[in-house]
Amino acid sequence: MRAEGAAIEVTEEGAYATFSSNGSAGTSIFGYDPGCPVQSARDGYIVGTPWLEASLLRIHDLNAGESIQLDMYSLEGDPVDCIYGFWPQSYYDCGQWYINRGTSLVLRGSTYDGTEEQMDFLIDFSRAQTDASGDVTNEQELVLAKYPYIKLAGDGYYTASDGEAWFYLDEQGNRVDSPEWADCSGFYQGYALVLEKDGMAYLVDRDFNKVTEGYPADSVSQAGGMFCIAKGDEQTFLYMGLQETPEGD
């Protein structure tokens, strides 16, 4: 387990120092940074909200002791009535669930305009301009990419889909020059699973060279160093040692 993901480290660094509404020391969740923590701290930052189910999102710099606050509904410019929910997406890495990679994270917006749809926003708080109170004033400039699906992972590229195919994005939100797949997983220590459109899945390296034999698959996924190949009701797991482990072992 990484020390940066431990809640006790955040507490010792003062991220949970609180003040009541009258200015005295207290535990009111309305007056402290970063607010209600959403997940574990990562890369010196922790993500929170002023209160649960708020439309405001804060990213707190543990080293500087400062927070930046974003109104999630402003990512689309003028408020749109059909957007009724935003929430940050999480990923699993080294025994912890995380929201951010440094100052970057993915927000999922749920919309309803006759039918329910979703749109994911890859945003980077390092681009933020703020007013005196720490509120972001250039919200749309934080958006690096916007697709129906974007997924974070512990390292390497982000996975994304336009609804037709899966592909990868770099850390600036640009599409990586690579094939399009029926499905693909996040990278872990330089490896990822990809599912070709002929129904065969392979573990590939950062240059998309195949490093295993093909596996018949319907979908692929990754959680930390564990890669999952699903075919019907059966699942096969590949670990970083490239050892195959059937479900149930």
Side-chain angles (χ1 to χ4, degrees):
M1 181 180 297
R2 299 181 182 177
E4 63 186 7
I8 186 65
E9 179 189 50
V10 179
T11 302
E12 291 173 348
E13 293 188 17
Y16 295 130
T18 67
F19 295 91
S20 65
S21 58
N22 63 9
S24 60
T27 57
S28 168
I29 66 171
F30 296 99
Y32 68 85
D33 289 329
C36 298
V38 179
Q39 293 287 358
S40 302
R42 181 73 189 259
D43 301 329
Y45 296 89
I46 188 169
V47 178
T49 62
W51 54 87
L52 292 176
E53 300 181 0
S55 63
L56 302 175
L57 189 73
R58 291 174 177 172
I59 187 165
H60 185 79
D61 186 331
L62 296 174
N63 295 314
E66 299 175 347
S67 289
I68 296 175
Q69 182 165 277
L70 170 70
D71 182 349
M72 291 182 278
Y73 287 92
S74 61
L75 291 173
E76 283 278 52
D78 295 333
V80 180
D81 291 339
C82 64
I83 296 181
Y84 67 86
F86 272 105
W87 196 249
Q89 300 303 293
S90 60
Y91 65 98
Y92 181 85
D93 186 39
C94 294
Q96 294 283 338
W97 286 96
Y98 297 105
I99 289 294
N100 63 301
R101 272 175 52 180
T103 56
S104 296
L105 62 147
V106 172
L107 293 175
R108 174 159 298 171
S110 299
T111 67
Y112 187 84
D113 188 10
T115 58
E116 185 172 359
E117 298 180 353
Q118 66 183 32
M119 185 65 66
D120 287 350
F121 297 76
L122 174 61
I123 67 172
D124 183 0
F125 275 94
S126 70
R127 298 180 169 213
Q129 299 175 11
T130 61
D131 58 22
S133 61
D135 292 331
V136 175
T137 59
N138 62 330
E139 296 89 351
Q140 294 178 66
E141 295 178 20
L142 272 59
V143 179
L144 302 180
K146 183 172 69 171
Y147 289 100
Y149 300 95
I150 303 176
K151 295 180 181 179
L152 289 172
D155 70 292
Y157 303 128
Y158 307 111
T159 61
S161 174
D162 57 8
E164 300 293 330
W166 284 88
F167 44 88
Y168 288 98
L169 306 176
D170 63 21
E171 292 187 350
Q172 288 71 49
N174 303 310
R175 285 187 64 161
V176 174
D177 185 14
S178 67
E180 293 185 341
W181 289 283
D183 197 6
C184 60
S185 79
F187 275 83
Y188 182 79
Q189 295 186 3
Y191 295 94
L193 272 176
V194 298
L195 175 59
E196 296 187 337
K197 295 182 178 181
D198 63 1
M200 297 297 290
Y202 301 87
L203 196 68
V204 298
D205 61 21
R206 192 67 59 85
D207 296 320
F208 306 109
N209 299 310
K210 298 173 183 176
V211 297
T212 64
E213 62 183 279
Y215 295 84
D218 297 322
S219 64
V220 296
S221 59
Q222 167 261 341
M226 182 179 68
F227 297 91
C228 178
I229 302 166
K231 178 65 175 178
D233 295 331
E234 297 182 357
Q235 294 178 316
T236 298
F237 297 92
L238 301 179
Y239 296 87
M240 286 312 302
L242 306 187
Q243 296 176 337
E244 179 181 344
T245 304
E247 183 181 28
D249 286 6

